Amino acid sequence: MLRVGLTGGIGSGKSTVAALLRDLGAVVTDADAVAREVVEPGRPALAAIATEFGPPMLRADGTLDRAALAAIVFPDPDRLRALEAITGPAIAARSAELRAQVPRDRIDVYDMPLLVEKGLWVHEHLTLVVGAAEDIRVRRLVEHRGLPEADARARIAAQASDEQRRAAADVWIDNEGSRESTAEQVRAIWAERLVPYEANLRGGIRARRSEQLALHDPDPAWAARGERVCARIAAALPGKGVRVDHIGSTAVPGLLAKDVVDVQVGVRQLADADDPAFVAALGHAGYLCSPDNRGDTPHPPTADPSGWGKRFYGGQDPGCIVHVHVREIGSAAYDVALAFRDWLRDEPAVREEYAALKTRVAAAASSTSEYTTAKEPWFATAHPRLVAWTRAHGWTP
């Protein structure tokens, strides 16, 4: 099942996008609706709110006075945290209960305002963020909800910034224009990304790079994309002693590359990667093991091949091709992957040399596989220079 986190700041129009996704066939769990449910009369969370914030938070009929509570918590971060400490666990438990009931062949959307603030986006396969400029959001809150402008701005300030949301966003939905413009974006995302991703997950299919070779100019978005992949994999493998790093060309600012995110997962011993729980955890996160890819080319060629073993996983998201290399921490292959990335970051001349090689090889190669093979002789000659650089700089992983 594809798990999608949907979020956006107050007044961004997140509810509009949630409704569009629901109309397209998604099952949407609305955290705001759940938040209202868990503070209904007779619920433990409501009693805790009355204890923490005082009896005036309750109306004569025993229901929560939301306006009175909002007036206290939104201007005061400490009081807001106190409220979230009460309602957060209740909302999470009820949301998990509802999401567990979603049919396995449906797309599961979690409509959650605080998805970024609470770091919950790392548990979703994809994060959709609905965005609009602050002035537009303020105007909507004043005109449509009747909030005073100062109150509207205080509520916006209490949430994550656009920069924080963009860092977590796999897809940014611009909701500053017409409803039809937003609907057009949502329909495209549904058809081009969500439905194919769900089909890959259900069918156990990797999203593969095209064999038609294409090198791309450096993209500043690669770094954030790599960080999101690393964060999700780390969240999928808690307590297993792993280190997760963005490696490869997309991890080197200013270097042209294939549009592929390479990630290295370090394990204490390679056998840990064969643990069924490890395999299942990465599978749940959207990564499939390729049993035929169990090692890298040793450098130098005379090196002990045992130091170059690995396990390889391919991502299932058709909108972001990801290669996951699981290697033993301290092995030759593990160290070289990190050192090579840092060498290219540190040495502009080497980075330009490697870029020139890529361009020459790409011009002559007829496929991505041929391109990858044709670069190996350069790596063999570059390896001694890489070792010299690590020693000269006292480099360690």
Side-chain angles (χ1 to χ4, degrees):
M1 177 194 297
L2 178 65
R3 303 184 306 279
V4 178
L6 173 65
T7 194
I10 185 170
S12 64
K14 177 175 58 64
S15 296
T16 297
V17 173
L20 290 165
L21 290 169
R22 187 181 288 109
D23 290 344
L24 288 167
V27 177
V28 179
T29 299
D30 183 348
D32 279 340
V34 172
R36 291 190 291 272
E37 178 186 334
V38 300
V39 294
E40 290 174 349
R43 296 295 184 103
L46 182 59
I49 289 172
T51 299
E52 175 69 28
F53 295 94
M57 294 302 102
L58 302 182
R59 296 191 181 97
D61 62 359
T63 59
L64 179 64
D65 188 335
R66 297 178 181 279
L69 183 61
I72 292 175
V73 301
F74 281 111
D76 187 336
D78 289 336
R79 301 309 282 155
L80 181 59
R81 282 191 289 270
L83 175 63
E84 291 173 353
I86 294 170
T87 59
I91 294 170
R94 179 56 177 157
S95 296
E97 182 181 348
L98 292 172
R99 298 184 77 185
Q101 299 170 16
V102 176
R104 307 307 296 174
D105 60 348
R106 301 286 293 280
I107 293 174
D108 170 21
V109 174
Y110 188 33
D111 177 358
M112 172 57 163
L114 300 179
L115 198 73
V116 172
E117 288 88 336
K118 292 182 175 296
L120 298 175
W121 65 271
V122 298
H123 303 298
E124 310 297 327
H125 289 111
L126 284 176
T127 304
L128 311 186
V129 177
V130 185
E134 181 174 327
D135 286 347
I136 293 174
R137 293 163 59 195
V138 169
R139 186 180 72 243
R140 289 171 179 168
L141 294 172
V142 171
E143 294 178 357
H144 301 157
R145 301 195 194 182
L147 293 179
E149 181 176 337
D151 190 7
R153 292 192 182 277
R155 294 191 184 204
I156 289 172
Q159 295 184 329
S161 66
D162 276 353
E163 290 73 20
Q164 290 169 316
R165 290 195 185 95
R166 284 189 181 277
D170 298 293
V171 179
W172 183 273
I173 300 172
D174 184 341
N175 193 32
E176 295 187 356
S178 67
R179 189 180 191 282
E180 180 51 35
S181 173
T182 301
E184 185 177 342
Q185 294 176 67
V186 173
R187 287 193 294 267
I189 294 162
W190 179 266
E192 298 168 11
R193 186 118 183 224
L194 303 190
V195 170
Y197 197 170
E198 188 279 330
N200 284 352
L201 289 168
R202 190 157 36 88
I205 301 167
R206 268 184 59 197
R208 295 178 179 272
R209 67 188 181 193
S210 172
E211 274 298 304
Q212 183 175 354
L213 178 62
L215 290 180
H216 299 262
D217 289 334
D219 186 346
W222 283 337
R225 194 180 304 168
E227 288 178 6
R228 288 193 296 273
V229 171
C230 289
R232 286 191 171 110
I233 291 176
L237 298 168
K240 298 186 183 298
V242 300
R243 168 175 162 169
V244 187
D245 291 279
H246 184 193
I247 60 169
S249 294
T250 56
V252 180
L255 181 62
L256 78 170
K258 300 187 300 297
D259 193 14
V260 175
V261 173
D262 284 281
V263 168
Q264 177 165 268
V265 176
V267 291
R268 293 190 183 94
Q269 52 186 2
L270 197 53
D272 292 347
D274 298 324
D275 185 327
F278 185 99
V279 177
L282 281 181
H284 185 67
Y287 300 94
L288 291 179
C289 184
S290 295
D292 57 336
N293 189 342
R294 299 174 70 86
D296 298 300
T297 301
H299 292 294
T302 55
D304 182 357
S306 65
W308 294 82
K310 73 174 181 182
R311 301 294 182 265
F312 178 84
Y313 287 75
Q316 296 178 271
D317 176 7
C320 178
I321 305 301
V322 177
H323 294 168
V324 181
H325 310 264
V326 183
R327 299 182 175 111
E328 188 171 305
I329 294 173
S331 68
Y334 177 86
D335 287 354
V336 164
L338 294 174
F340 184 67
R341 177 201 65 189
D342 293 351
W343 185 38
L344 292 178
R345 287 175 173 176
D346 187 60
E347 296 286 351
V350 179
R351 186 168 61 247
E352 291 170 9
E353 176 188 339
Y354 186 43
L357 167 77
K358 283 169 166 272
T359 302
R360 289 196 307 273
V361 172
S366 60
S367 68
T368 299
S369 297
E370 184 178 322
Y371 163 84
T372 301
T373 302
K375 290 191 300 176
E376 282 299 329
W378 184 85
F379 283 112
T381 61
H383 185 263
R385 291 188 289 151
L386 171 62
V387 173
W389 175 84
T390 63
R391 290 172 178 168
H393 290 74
W395 180 91
T396 56

